[in-house]
Amino acid sequence: MNTTTIPITARRTGWLTYALATTLLWGVWGAVAGLPSEHGFPETLIYVVWALTMVPPALFVLARAGWRVRRDGRSIAYGLTIGLLGAGGQMILFYAVKAGPTYLIFPLISLSPVITIALSFLFLRERTGAMGLAGIVLAVCALPLFDYTPGGAPQQYGLWFVLALGVLVAWGLQAYFIKLANASMDAESIFFYMTVSALLVIPVALAMTDFSQPINYGPSGPLLAAATQVLNAIGALTLVYAFRYGKALMVSPLVNAGAPLLTTVIAMALAASLPTGYRLAGIGLSLAAALFLALQPDEPTQGN
């Protein structure tokens, strides 16, 4: 896109509108993502609905880009890798929010930048500053607190914790490959391949669905799933525009830390019981870690 055609006022103030929209959409989505499964709509079918909600934003972005998509081998490989990691993490997330509380799951998932930073440090020769280092330390300290019981025997973290870690790793890897792809691809092509990847996994999700069990096809099933997942899809679209109009240093802290915090606040308000003191401390540390990781400005790679 030629940003010279964008009015100066839009470039100065538009990013905040889009970033706040993303924060609100993803924050609310995170808190309500598990509702359809609670009402008897399988997680595998929720995935199908999510994949379909990705299509309208993808078409909108491609139309604005003149329907141009990069089709060289490297772009296809990067795009599908990014898309499949995102789709896989999304499918795992649907099971996670059914197995555990969202006010613990989403703060944990918000630590995925740790994976991205570690891989970028090792393979891209990128370096992080004091804030990034502080975020990593806080993240490591937060993990044991999510299921810590003082004075008792060690406990297993449970299925929700394992699934949340799977999402964390998948989305951390996804962000790393997005870093690689951005050197040779435009955002519209990346988003297009993310959508294609999501659609390609639909047959797998359908094959995993047990249609012999009762399935809620009423308003609290697929319609509720569509209403919740469209928040996710539109949030991804508004994020594209937030980064287009604004600086990453301004957009990232608001979205990466604001959305999980909003999810946590909403989910705790809706929950019947509050987390224990140690879990609450884990939430606080993980959100602080996400904030520090987001606030850390990008360091120039060595040799650049």
Side-chain angles (χ1 to χ4, degrees):
M1 292 286 180
N2 185 0
T3 57
T4 59
T5 62
I6 301 172
I8 298 297
T9 302
R11 292 204 301 268
R12 289 179 176 175
T13 62
W15 75 267
L16 182 58
T17 300
Y18 288 117
L20 287 175
T22 305
T23 301
L24 177 61
L25 290 165
W26 281 359
V28 176
W29 164 72
V32 300
L35 292 180
S37 62
E38 293 176 6
H39 288 84
F41 194 63
E43 295 84 357
T44 49
L45 294 185
I46 296 176
Y47 174 87
V48 174
V49 173
W50 167 75
L52 294 176
T53 61
M54 289 283 288
V55 174
L59 293 177
F60 181 82
V61 169
L62 287 176
R64 291 179 61 90
W67 304 103
R68 293 187 298 271
V69 178
R70 295 189 63 90
R71 294 186 295 272
D72 57 281
R74 174 179 293 184
S75 295
I76 293 174
Y78 278 153
L80 291 179
T81 298
I82 293 167
L84 291 174
L85 285 170
Q90 191 71 52
M91 183 173 288
I92 296 172
L93 177 60
F94 292 139
Y95 284 95
V97 296
K98 182 180 181 180
T102 55
Y103 59 78
L104 294 178
I105 292 171
F106 278 84
L108 183 59
I109 292 173
S110 71
L111 303 179
S112 60
V114 174
I115 303 293
T116 307
I117 288 176
L119 292 176
S120 298
F121 181 90
L122 292 174
F123 300 112
L124 300 182
R125 295 185 297 173
E126 292 184 351
R127 299 296 177 258
T128 187
M131 284 189 175
L133 182 60
I136 294 173
V137 172
L138 288 175
V140 173
C141 293
L143 291 177
L145 297 177
F146 276 94
D147 207 22
Y148 175 71
T149 301
Q155 296 184 357
Q156 295 181 351
Y157 284 101
L159 179 61
W160 70 267
F161 187 83
V162 175
L163 294 175
L165 284 181
V167 179
L168 183 155
V169 172
W171 287 354
L173 288 171
Q174 183 191 40
Y176 169 72
F177 280 104
I178 289 175
K179 280 178 154 306
L180 290 177
N182 272 327
S184 58
M185 295 179 65
D186 54 89
E188 289 80 9
S189 294
I190 293 175
F191 195 84
F192 167 78
Y193 286 113
M194 289 174 63
T195 303
V196 170
S197 301
L199 295 174
L200 288 175
V201 181
I202 284 180
V204 178
L206 292 175
M208 294 173 60
T209 304
D210 185 0
F211 288 100
S212 66
Q213 299 297 320
I215 296 177
N216 177 15
Y217 291 107
S220 60
L223 291 180
L224 180 59
T228 56
Q229 294 308 316
V230 76
L231 298 175
N232 185 4
I234 297 177
L237 177 60
T238 55
L239 183 64
V240 172
Y241 286 102
F243 277 106
R244 177 176 297 167
Y245 294 141
K247 296 180 179 179
L249 182 62
M250 303 294 290
V251 175
S252 293
L254 182 57
V255 174
N256 292 351
L261 178 59
L262 182 58
T263 293
T264 301
V265 171
I266 295 174
M268 285 195 299
L270 296 176
S273 60
L274 294 175
T276 64
Y278 286 95
R279 286 186 171 183
L280 191 60
I283 292 172
L285 286 178
S286 64
L287 291 175
L291 179 61
F292 277 119
L293 290 170
L295 283 171
Q296 173 58 50
D298 291 335
E299 298 290 332
T301 56
Q302 293 182 5
N304 288 349

